[in-house]
Amino acid sequence: MDQFGSIVKQEVVRSKALEVRVLRTLADLEPYAEDWDDLVFSNGRLPMLSHAWLSAHLEFRQPTERPWLCLAAVADGRLVGVLTLEERRIPVLGKMVVSLHQPGDGHTRSIDAVITPGWERRVVTAFRKALDETVPEWFGVELLGVEERSQLLREVEALEETRAVVNPSGLATVRATQGTWDEFFMNECSGHFRKHFRQYGRKLAKFGTVHSEFYTGAEANPEYLDRFAVLEAAGWKGREGSAVGADPRLREFYSAVCARLHARRVLEWHFLRVDDRYVAGHFAIRSGRTLVLWKIGYDEAYAECSPGFLLIGEMLGKAFADPDTDSVNFVTDRTWLSSWRPAKEPYFDLWVYPNRVRSVVAGVWPKRARQHFRSVPGLKAGLHAVRSIVKK
């Protein structure tokens, strides 16, 4: 029984030895959950791509007016690829068509295909065929903010009867953790950085004995979400109403996410406390050899000591010492993260269109026209100037 109260029979689209199963209910997804999560976490992909995360989004946050479908590519009974999309009916050149998008919001991002290495071309081709057979009137697919390592991004240009448009759309901050903490701290960090890091530590110690707590594997109890939620609410997210605990439905979503990640033994919690008072916390996920830092919270009563900054230092120190960790992915790109001397990895917006008149005229051409105008030197600044004059 899915969230809409009905069971929908699975459709199967075959392509030689590979078959694509079109799943439309949460119950349909469940048999693939473990293999799906293995595809994500064994290959170091973002945790939002996993069944553990995405199924929680579909259950608690997916708008009921947007039906979704999941393409599951299976070979010899083994899941080798998965892509989840939502359907939106829109008018295009006088006709109602289906526009396909990644499900998600600010709490579920970068949804994309996940494919077993070596199967990319066959799976992407089979997905394209499955869309033609399952949603014959599909206008296009829009995937915003996908990773540079996206397998679909690499393969889509080779598809027959298909056109793709790709635009850069932001950066992820990624800190490599090879070597040692001491080498990083003394050789890569500025004297200004080291001075302030030590000063913040001394300031915090004046309030009491400082402890750090790191919970991984079976010890990363999903109930620590309660502790983290209090810390997040003690900062700006609490004031703006965007903290985990601000909305009961959002809290329900994150409770489900944490329980499902914990079942896969990839959930992590990091906390900093002074005596018995917690002052900073991290909600993190282990994916392959990467630690993904999804949420940061700290108590602003201790803002002068920068407890969040200190906890990141503690976390990186452990990551440098861990032979199973190659990097920490902060997912976003905030100015203050630059002090950790990270690399930047790009995100891209990807649009995929069938080579049909309506999709080309109303999809491909406008997107490529925007690309062209953005590349014209001074055009953007000129348009801003014109808008300013018009407003006056």
Side-chain angles (χ1 to χ4, degrees):
M1 190 73 68
D2 74 349
Q3 70 269 46
F4 303 115
S6 64
I7 297 178
V8 182
K9 185 178 179 181
Q10 295 180 16
E11 306 155 60
V12 177
V13 181
R14 297 184 181 276
S15 176
K16 296 183 179 178
L18 187 71
E19 66 178 34
V20 176
R21 298 172 183 173
V22 184
L23 316 176
R24 296 182 182 273
T25 74
L26 290 171
D28 288 343
L29 302 184
E30 196 58 36
Y32 305 94
E34 188 171 348
D35 288 344
W36 182 344
D37 287 343
D38 285 345
L39 270 181
V40 173
F41 297 126
S42 64
N43 291 293
R45 300 299 303 276
L46 286 175
M48 302 84 209
L49 294 165
S50 68
H51 172 273
W53 196 291
L54 192 50
S55 64
H57 170 84
L58 295 173
E59 184 174 356
F60 295 104
R61 298 189 64 77
Q62 180 68 14
T64 56
E65 69 273 13
R66 295 180 188 170
W68 55 269
L69 60 88
C70 177
L71 304 178
V74 179
D76 298 322
R78 178 171 62 100
L79 185 72
V80 294
V82 63
L83 172 63
T84 305
L85 300 166
E86 67 174 36
E87 302 178 23
R88 303 180 192 175
R89 296 197 68 83
I90 61 171
V92 175
L93 301 180
K95 181 181 178 181
M96 295 300 294
V97 297
V98 176
S99 181
L100 298 165
H101 300 253
Q102 66 210 129
D105 52 25
H107 299 276
T108 298
R109 56 169 296 170
S110 301
I111 302 304
D112 180 22
V114 187
I115 305 169
T116 298
W119 283 83
E120 292 89 350
R121 182 65 53 85
R122 292 181 64 191
V123 168
V124 171
T125 301
F127 281 168
R128 170 67 169 82
K129 181 180 179 181
L131 285 182
D132 282 343
E133 297 185 16
T134 307
V135 194
E137 72 275 32
W138 73 284
F139 166 72
V141 174
E142 177 184 274
L143 300 174
L144 303 181
V146 301
E147 300 173 278
E148 183 179 30
R149 62 183 302 184
S150 163
Q151 295 154 303
L152 184 59
L153 189 67
R154 294 199 304 267
E155 295 294 335
V156 73
E157 295 283 1
L159 287 176
E160 295 180 359
E161 297 299 314
T162 306
R163 302 195 192 188
V165 182
V166 180
N167 280 332
S169 68
L171 298 168
T173 298
V174 180
R175 174 64 240 182
T177 55
Q178 290 83 20
T180 69
W181 165 263
D182 288 340
E183 289 170 345
F184 160 72
F185 191 69
M186 298 306 298
N187 299 333
E188 293 191 48
C189 297
S190 67
H192 180 78
F193 174 93
R194 293 195 297 271
K195 174 184 174 182
H196 282 278
F197 187 83
R198 290 166 177 150
Q199 282 180 342
Y200 292 141
R202 288 193 294 268
K203 281 184 179 181
L204 190 61
K206 291 179 181 179
F207 289 94
T209 304
V210 179
H211 303 270
S212 59
E213 299 176 7
F214 287 76
Y215 300 99
T216 64
E219 294 182 346
N221 193 322
E223 292 183 4
Y224 287 143
L225 178 64
D226 293 337
R227 181 186 298 173
F228 178 82
V230 171
L231 286 167
E232 192 180 43
W236 64 268
K237 289 186 179 180
R239 292 192 301 275
E240 291 190 358
S242 60
V244 169
D247 175 10
R249 196 68 172 165
L250 182 60
R251 179 58 173 270
E252 207 173 10
F253 161 72
Y254 272 114
S255 293
V257 166
C258 290
R260 294 169 197 185
L261 292 174
H262 180 252
R264 302 295 183 212
R265 295 298 187 259
V266 294
L267 179 64
E268 291 198 12
W269 299 106
H270 314 152
F271 294 104
L272 194 67
R273 64 181 171 88
V274 179
D275 292 336
D276 295 327
R277 181 164 178 172
Y278 288 93
V279 297
H282 293 164
F283 169 15
I285 307 98
R286 173 74 52 175
S287 186
R289 299 183 63 83
T290 298
L291 180 62
V292 179
L293 189 60
W294 178 241
K295 276 184 167 290
I296 299 172
Y298 69 95
D299 188 340
E300 287 193 351
Y302 294 84
E304 63 176 315
C305 309
S306 292
F309 181 66
L310 293 173
L311 183 56
I312 289 176
E314 291 282 335
M315 173 200 65
L316 287 176
K318 284 190 170 292
F320 274 103
D322 182 3
D324 294 325
T325 303
D326 289 338
S327 62
V328 174
N329 186 347
F330 292 85
V331 184
T332 187
D333 180 35
R334 303 292 186 191
T335 303
W336 58 268
L337 290 170
S338 62
S339 59
W340 298 102
R341 299 295 188 267
K344 304 290 184 179
E345 296 186 358
Y347 291 114
F348 294 90
D349 292 339
L350 169 65
W351 294 271
V352 183
Y353 297 98
N355 196 19
R356 297 194 285 261
V357 172
R358 183 171 275 100
S359 296
V360 172
V361 172
V364 178
W365 288 357
K367 291 288 189 306
R368 290 188 175 167
R370 291 192 192 99
Q371 281 183 323
H372 173 72
F373 285 123
R374 284 175 182 154
S375 66
V376 176
L379 181 61
K380 188 174 181 180
L383 289 173
H384 279 303
V386 170
R387 290 194 189 103
S388 299
I389 293 170
V390 170
K391 286 179 180 178
K392 291 179 181 178

